Amino acid sequence: MMSQTVVFTNKKPLCVALLFALSVFDMTAGAETPGAAVPTAVSVPILRAGFARTEVTPTVGMEIPGGFAKNFSTGVHDPLWVEAAYFTDGTVRLAVVGVDLIVSPFDMAAAARQQAEARCGIPAGNIMIGASHTHNGGPVDSCWAVERDDAYCAFAAERIADAVVKACETAVEARIGCGLGREEGVGFNRRFRMKDGTIRTHPGKMNPDIVAPAGPIDPDVAVIAVEDTGGNLLGCIVNFALHGTTLSGSLISADWPFYMRNTIRGGLGADIGVVFLNGACGDVTQVDNRDPRPGEFGEAWARRVGMSVGSAALNVLAKLEFKAEALLAVKSEHLSLPIRDLGTSDEELVKREAPGIGLGTGDEIYLKEAALVREMKAESPTVTVEIQAMRIGEAGIVGNPAEYFCQFGLNIKQASPWKPTMVVELANGCCGYVGTAEAFLGGGYEVRTARCSYLAAGAGEQIADTSARLLCQLAEK
């Protein structure tokens, strides 16, 4: 397992055009007028920020989670990274972390946050850890035939803490800008209404029984960027909602976010920090079931998606205006969410939820999963999840640990006072798929009971309501 660490300083300038655009100012500003009253000085908090990354590439031969069958890695397509951003205004300290993993389990995220607090003093509750949801990452999750590796989870937790500490140690006086772009051509809702009235996940390309998509996509590419006082870009946070399922195969990879980061860094000509936070993409992938072309998988599609999202982020970065005044705030709330009704027997449950066609078929593996979820519920009928909201200047971020349906993300944004608002799924843990009430009625893979889908209907609405309320409360500060 690799342990490389990279920190970002203000030694890397933006490309000439962007640097010139960001540094032009009125040469007459600040000139004194004879006899004019001298304004009273107002104390403004000094913003400091830093970025760092550490490597979490697993040893070749370890399991890759995300599929139904075991998949042992055979090589490395590109390294896996933890990317961290740190902010302080002298009073509030917070960190935002993106990690190239399918999920960030509750215990691993808690360990990383506690280690970071012990080493650099940032309150654990002020650290957000979002998993990119790559399906070519390290063994952190147990579901289907795949089992997590506890030693790797401990290693990843330590490396997450390392990144936070390094970002804190290298923080400099900074300015913040934020903005919103769009990318509408690479994400598609994978759930469809069928002629028989059911809802199916990936029913097959050009299936004649498809009526219409059963959910939306979210085209927002939200960006928070940071520069030093000399106008040199230190890093950015990017939020976009799309599954990390393009590359496939048995090579370790960050999937399409690898190409997104390369596109941003290449366009700027600078090796800046790029923290990726995945949005509410529980039902959104790169596969277009209504297009007859071959399946949208492999390196070409990973590049296409990553370059498209990266280009949208670059367009936002090119037009940003940066400010030194940026208020910071963090609020969180814990919810106790019930595990769903499992019926009287595993056999009855599996038969009732079987979708017939599409992703999520096959009763034998679901019988095993149903029994394991029943054991979970016997141990505790509820699961505690954290909803965490942050304010960074004019931007709002809110995270939850679900594989969250896209419609919920759109609802939260509509209720939020912040522009942009980043909705972050798989943050500080993982509680499986959380779909809409309509999704539970319609069926399909995402709501079929397994260790990746076990919360009761209504959990998503609770998370959305709490998220919107916390974002609004941040506006009161």
Side-chain angles (χ1 to χ4, degrees):
M1 292 179 282
M2 303 300 292
S3 59
Q4 183 180 355
T5 301
V6 179
V7 297
F8 303 95
T9 69
N10 59 359
K11 303 301 183 183
K12 293 278 188 179
L14 285 165
C15 63
V16 173
L18 283 177
L19 180 59
F20 178 78
L22 292 171
S23 61
V24 171
F25 62 94
D26 183 357
M27 296 298 292
T28 64
E32 294 187 8
T33 302
V38 178
T40 302
V42 177
S43 176
V44 177
I46 296 176
L47 179 72
R48 296 177 65 84
F51 287 78
R53 68 173 178 253
T54 57
E55 189 173 351
V56 289
T57 305
T59 302
V60 172
M62 285 186 162
E63 288 192 68
I64 295 176
F68 287 90
K70 283 190 176 297
N71 181 16
F72 295 96
S73 64
T74 58
V76 178
H77 178 276
D78 56 275
L80 305 184
W81 296 98
V82 178
E83 300 257 1
Y86 166 76
F87 302 87
T88 181
D89 58 8
T91 301
V92 177
R93 305 174 71 196
L94 62 86
V96 180
V97 183
V99 57
D100 292 334
L101 294 172
I102 191 167
V103 298
S104 177
F106 287 115
D107 59 340
M108 189 186 88
R113 296 165 90 189
Q114 290 161 7
Q115 290 177 37
E117 178 176 10
R119 292 170 58 187
C120 66
I122 305 173
N126 286 13
I127 301 171
M128 178 183 289
I129 302 170
S132 70
H133 203 46
T134 173
H135 283 49
N136 286 75
V140 295
D141 188 37
S142 292
C143 194
W144 317 123
V146 181
E147 297 299 328
R148 64 178 261 171
D149 186 295
D150 289 339
Y152 177 78
C153 289
F155 163 76
E158 182 179 356
R159 300 305 286 154
I160 291 169
D162 287 345
V164 173
V165 172
K166 292 295 184 183
C168 176
E169 291 175 345
T170 58
V172 297
E173 191 171 340
R175 297 188 287 249
I176 289 181
C178 59
L180 194 61
R182 291 177 70 84
E183 171 47 56
E184 300 181 271
V186 297
F188 305 89
N189 200 287
R190 66 185 185 180
R191 291 170 55 81
F192 290 86
R193 300 184 187 282
M194 309 301 289
K195 289 181 179 178
D196 64 0
T198 62
I199 294 177
R200 297 290 178 255
T201 304
H202 286 315
K205 277 180 166 285
M206 305 303 291
N207 187 322
D209 291 331
I210 289 176
V211 176
I217 66 165
D218 184 351
D220 284 357
V221 180
V223 178
I224 301 171
V226 182
E227 67 175 14
D228 66 16
T229 55
N232 303 299
L233 197 63
L234 298 175
C236 62
I237 302 169
V238 180
N239 176 234
F240 183 70
L242 185 67
H243 255 68
T245 51
T246 57
L247 194 65
S248 301
S250 59
L251 296 180
I252 296 164
S253 174
D255 205 89
W256 66 262
F258 164 70
Y259 292 101
M260 178 201 69
R261 292 191 292 245
N262 283 355
T263 299
I264 293 171
R265 289 169 179 149
L268 295 171
D271 187 17
I272 66 166
V274 182
V275 178
F276 173 64
L277 301 174
N278 212 331
C281 68
D283 51 348
V284 178
T285 74
Q286 81 284 355
V287 177
D288 185 357
N289 283 274
R290 293 187 292 176
D291 193 302
R293 67 191 172 205
E296 293 86 348
F297 294 96
E299 185 156 0
W301 276 99
R303 184 184 302 111
R304 176 171 176 166
V305 173
M307 290 182 68
S308 297
V309 178
S311 296
L314 272 174
N315 191 45
V316 175
L317 287 166
K319 300 171 184 176
L320 285 185
E321 297 181 4
F322 291 81
K323 299 178 181 180
E325 300 80 21
L327 295 179
L328 306 176
V330 182
K331 291 186 74 69
S332 63
E333 187 171 320
H334 289 81
L335 303 178
S336 182
L337 300 176
I339 293 177
R340 68 187 57 159
D341 179 8
L342 302 175
T344 58
S345 73
D346 297 339
E347 290 76 13
E348 180 272 334
L349 176 67
V350 168
K351 181 178 180 180
R352 170 164 52 88
E353 294 182 340
I357 63 168
L359 188 63
T361 56
D363 290 352
E364 184 176 347
I365 196 166
Y366 276 97
L367 279 168
K368 171 192 171 185
E369 289 294 317
L372 290 168
V373 173
R374 197 174 295 275
E375 290 178 11
M376 289 170 53
K377 187 169 184 178
E379 184 176 339
S380 174
T382 61
V383 176
T384 300
V385 304
E386 178 185 6
I387 314 302
Q388 183 187 39
M390 294 180 168
R391 174 184 181 178
I392 301 177
E394 298 172 358
I397 307 176
V398 64
N400 70 75
E403 276 200 68
Y404 209 38
F405 269 37
C406 187
Q407 185 62 59
F408 288 131
L410 296 174
N411 294 348
I412 292 169
K413 290 181 179 184
Q414 185 175 15
S416 172
W418 306 103
K419 189 173 182 180
T421 294
M422 296 183 173
V423 177
V424 183
E425 72 164 29
L426 297 172
N428 303 325
C430 177
C431 61
Y433 281 104
V434 173
T436 61
E438 182 182 35
F440 277 89
L441 292 174
Y445 162 71
E446 295 86 354
V447 296
R448 194 172 189 190
T449 299
R451 283 175 290 176
C452 61
S453 179
Y454 53 84
L455 291 180
E461 287 76 8
Q462 283 186 261
I463 291 172
D465 290 345
T466 304
S467 299
R469 176 163 46 79
L470 291 176
L471 288 167
C472 290
Q473 289 173 356
L474 287 178
E476 297 174 359
K477 292 187 174 294

